[in-house]
Amino acid sequence: MGNLVAIVGRPNVGKSTLFNRLTKSRQAIVSDEAGTTRDRQYGKCDWCGREFSVVDTGGWVVNSDDIFEEEIRKQVIIATEEADLVLFLCDIKNGVTDWDMDVAQILRRAKLPTLLVANKADDGKDLYSQYEFYKLGLGDPFCISAATGSGTGDLLDKILEMLPEKSGDDLEEGIPRFAVVGRPNAGKSSLINAFIGEERHIVTDIAGTTRDSIYTRYDKFGFDFYLVDTAGIRRKNKVTEDLEFYSVMRSIRAIENSDVCILMIDATRGIESQDMNIFQLIQKNNKSLVVVVNKWDLVEDKSQVVISTFEQAIRARMAPFTDFPIIFASALTKQRIFKVLETAKEVYLHRKARIGTTKLNEVMLPLIEAYPPPSVKGKYIKIKYVSQVPDTQIPTFVFYANLPQYVKEPYKRFLENKIRENWTLTGSPIHVFIRAK
């Protein structure tokens, strides 16, 4: 189970700089891969063999010049509801502002582990200013410089010390976990209720170790899986206006703890930026995907033309990853609900697919010979052999070449597409690596 750390603070105290420093080890991988947008709001940090997720709340505030302090305050409250630990960032050069005092009060009330971080302590003289921060009532300030990295190692040690240790779930291994995600009001709860139906007794609930992810074991009609339900009972706070940020904070956990994500899209609204945000979270975590267009019963024109236009629009927005199933369903009328489960199960199996090395080479090598990688600086690239790496989270293929560094992204995508054409791996992401033979 991953832990979630949120960075909060006024504008220009260096939240993004700290975020980039914490996620540095992974950021390179996250952003250089094709198709992941270079959004800087969510990333993973790896320290001393433990991994946790980091959310930069500053990335969510619209037009950052004239920020409404109210907006940031809302985000602080959402962050305290969803995160396991809050890093409260202040600027040691500016000292404590009234706004800092306000936020400190929210954080003290939330009774959530909070680390007070005084940033921009670039030289020794700045350290004398740290004592002012004791008046925030949040304990010892950690003096760091996110820009130069001084003090961040100690900070990370402290973060690990304060994060709850992973406690084992009572979940059986080898049983797929499906998460239903989507914007608020896309019909997630209706879909889960439609799956579970009235016969609640067949279903057992196991509360996850993460804050309120509820795992529902579903075993009937020949299915056996856990539903990761994010719609866990939560106190309804007055902060639901900031839906964008809220829906992403809610989805992070469910996505990280699942194998297959069922992304719900509202047929009456089409694809919105929030859907794309959640889709990018799914991609970054390498999860399999099933898209469900819900509320299909409300669409007047259900002709094949409309369906295919809708499908094309969805795939166009989510390119280059387009190989995933789209189901038009209605949670209310239970139309094609069963199909959603069947598809999720298939997609999970594709995730576990193994392709024999002989077969891979028989199919792929002639294709590569017909379309070899373009030569670079007069050097010809030869790919001699391909195999699938065993025991990986998602299907991973290694192509052995004489000059792997010259094989560029477009050609890797060509290889991925050829693998998808010859074997059904619908819904599952694929990794393609080129290595020196």
Side-chain angles (χ1 to χ4, degrees), residues 123-416:
D123 55 39
K125 291 201 279 296
D126 293 327
L127 296 177
Y128 294 117
S129 320
Q130 64 175 314
Y131 301 106
E132 187 189 351
F133 290 96
Y134 279 98
K135 71 179 182 196
L136 292 173
L138 291 169
D140 300 329
F142 259 78
C143 297
I144 66 160
S145 164
T148 63
S150 83
T152 46
D154 296 344
L155 177 66
L156 279 161
D157 288 342
K158 185 69 179 164
I159 291 175
L160 289 193
E161 197 183 302
M162 292 179 72
L163 282 178
E165 273 292 337
K166 295 182 182 178
S167 48
D169 284 328
D170 317 336
L171 304 185
E172 280 180 44
E173 280 303 303
I175 293 180
R177 301 175 182 186
F178 298 162
V180 181
V181 292
R183 316 187 282 98
N185 217 358
K188 301 187 288 291
S189 304
S190 319
L191 183 71
I192 289 171
N193 291 345
F195 284 163
I196 293 170
E198 291 312 298
E199 307 130 68
R200 242 351 252 247
H201 57 273
I202 304 186
V203 172
T204 48
D205 281 359
I206 301 170
T209 43
T210 57
R211 306 185 62 182
D212 297 343
S213 273
I214 298 198
Y215 292 91
T216 309
R217 176 79 177 265
Y218 182 100
D219 48 355
K220 52 183 179 182
F221 309 129
F223 290 111
D224 190 6
F225 59 85
Y226 287 111
L227 265 178
V228 187
D229 182 1
T230 43
I233 316 129
R234 311 246 24 188
R235 61 175 187 282
K236 274 273 180 286
N237 213 317
K238 286 184 280 297
V239 218
T240 35
E241 295 99 285
D242 201 349
L243 283 181
E244 190 103 357
F245 177 58
Y246 186 68
S247 58
V248 169
M249 285 290 281
R250 298 291 282 136
S251 312
I252 288 176
R253 280 239 166 71
I255 292 171
E256 287 181 351
N257 299 336
S258 65
D259 299 307
V260 179
C261 296
I262 300 172
L263 175 60
M264 308 273 293
I265 292 178
D266 185 335
T268 57
R269 309 266 304 252
I271 288 203
E272 300 183 336
S273 63
Q274 251 166 305
D275 299 318
M276 290 308 296
N277 276 327
I278 294 174
F279 170 69
Q280 277 146 13
L281 283 177
I282 294 172
Q283 269 216 306
K284 271 191 187 173
N285 282 293
N286 290 325
K287 302 302 181 188
S288 304
L289 174 69
V290 176
V291 172
V292 176
V293 180
N294 189 25
K295 309 191 183 176
W296 194 237
D297 52 323
L298 301 179
V299 177
E300 312 254 305
D301 182 2
K302 295 188 177 63
S303 64
Q304 202 51 49
V305 183
V306 174
I307 291 183
S308 54
T309 320
F310 213 120
E311 281 198 8
Q312 277 159 359
I314 293 176
R315 292 192 203 281
R317 284 294 296 276
M318 298 189 178
F321 178 45
T322 52
D323 186 16
F324 52 82
I326 299 177
I327 300 165
F328 293 87
S330 160
L332 264 186
T333 61
K334 293 197 168 53
Q335 179 189 12
R336 296 198 198 86
I337 288 298
F338 208 66
K339 182 93 165 82
V340 174
L341 288 185
E342 279 174 352
T343 313
K345 189 175 168 184
E346 278 166 26
V347 166
Y348 174 74
L349 293 175
H350 294 164
R351 200 182 167 78
K352 298 272 173 268
R354 303 274 314 131
I355 300 169
T357 309
T358 329
K359 194 87 189 104
L360 254 180
N361 285 287
E362 269 172 22
V363 175
M364 294 302 292
L365 292 181
L367 287 171
I368 293 169
E369 228 158 85
Y371 290 98
S375 59
V376 178
K377 299 175 190 160
K379 293 189 170 67
Y380 290 100
I381 302 161
K382 294 185 181 61
I383 294 180
K384 287 283 188 338
Y385 179 74
V386 51
S387 70
Q388 183 179 359
V389 185
D391 303 326
T392 45
Q393 276 279 305
I394 59 173
T396 305
F397 300 92
V398 178
F399 290 81
Y400 293 94
N402 54 347
L403 300 163
Q405 67 277 26
Y406 291 142
V407 179
K408 295 287 183 281
E409 205 48 66
Y411 194 77
K412 284 190 194 170
R413 213 169 290 164
F414 161 78
L415 293 174
E416 177 180 329

